[in-house]
Amino acid sequence: MMTETGLPEGRIPIIRTPARPMDANKGGSIFGGWIMSQVDIAGSIPAELRAQSRIVTRAVTSFEFKQAVFVGDLINCYAEVVKVGRTSLEVFVEVYAQRICDGKIECTKVTEANVVYVAIDENRRPRAISTG
Ligand SMILES: CC(C)(COP(=O)(O)OP(=O)(O)OC[C@H]1O[C@@H](n2cnc3c(N)ncnc32)[C@H](O)[C@@H]1OP(=O)(O)O)[C@@H](O)C(=O)NCCC(=O)NCCS
């Protein structure tokens, strides 16, 4: 269910940040790499909290840019751990863009991705995640 701001009800975005002119490509929309970076940062937060250790990004198993993002859009990233393996965690990340048009808030889902993180030890080797 969506709220009047267009964002999913009852969920807290992990990252909220505006897309700035420095994040735009020469075509005027936002550079995909900037969004990928926000997705990676957002996904790493629940992954690290669940793993309770250092983690690294191991794989991006899916990534869809569903709609363009523009300068001035407010990006809202939601992330949740959807699978915990022996040393890895899969996180589903969704990104919504809010923008003001004709005095109203418009909200669009712009991106979704699945990212795999691996918990690592002090030697940067995979370490087992506690089951708790
Ligand atoms: C993370 C790293 C230590 C893992 O070492 P590894 O020898 O590849 O470990 P494994 O092959 O045993 O994989 C570890 C886990 O990741 C999972 N995994 C590996 N590749 C995967 C893929 N392409 N998709 C989904 N899961 C994957 C494995 O299934 C395993 O999960 P499990 O233990 O829960 O069963 C090593 O690959 C590494 O350092 N990579 C670079 C990480 C990094 O620097 N990231 C930042 C980007 S610059």
Side-chain angles (χ1 to χ4, degrees):
M1 199 165 155
M2 299 292 173
T3 63
E4 63 193 18
T5 61
L7 293 172
E9 194 168 313
R11 297 175 66 193
I12 299 171
I14 298 233
I15 292 177
R16 299 191 82 191
T17 189
R20 300 162 301 171
M22 64 191 287
D23 308 316
N25 60 37
K26 62 185 179 184
S29 61
I30 294 299
F31 175 51
W34 180 79
I35 297 166
M36 293 174 103
S37 167
Q38 303 305 314
V39 165
D40 190 19
I41 295 166
S44 73
I45 293 171
E48 189 166 271
L49 290 173
R50 174 61 184 85
Q52 296 185 338
S53 80
R54 279 190 67 193
I55 53 159
V56 285
T57 311
R58 177 65 173 87
V60 178
T61 53
S62 73
F63 204 108
E64 285 190 58
F65 294 106
K66 291 172 170 287
Q67 296 286 335
V69 176
F70 298 97
V71 171
D73 286 0
L74 178 61
I75 293 303
N76 300 264
C77 300
Y78 296 82
E80 64 176 313
V81 174
V82 291
K83 188 172 157 198
V84 181
R86 197 183 78 80
T87 68
S88 68
L89 311 99
E90 181 181 340
V91 181
F92 181 55
V93 184
E94 295 167 282
V95 185
Y96 290 80
Q98 289 175 296
R99 64 185 70 115
I100 311 288
C101 283
D102 298 328
K104 286 191 187 149
I105 300 172
E106 280 188 359
C107 186
T108 313
K109 185 175 191 173
V110 292
T111 299
E112 63 180 42
N114 284 78
V115 188
V116 177
Y117 300 88
V118 172
I120 54 166
D121 63 18
E122 57 281 5
N123 299 313
R124 302 189 64 85
R125 297 303 309 155
R127 67 180 284 275
I129 297 166
S130 72
T131 50

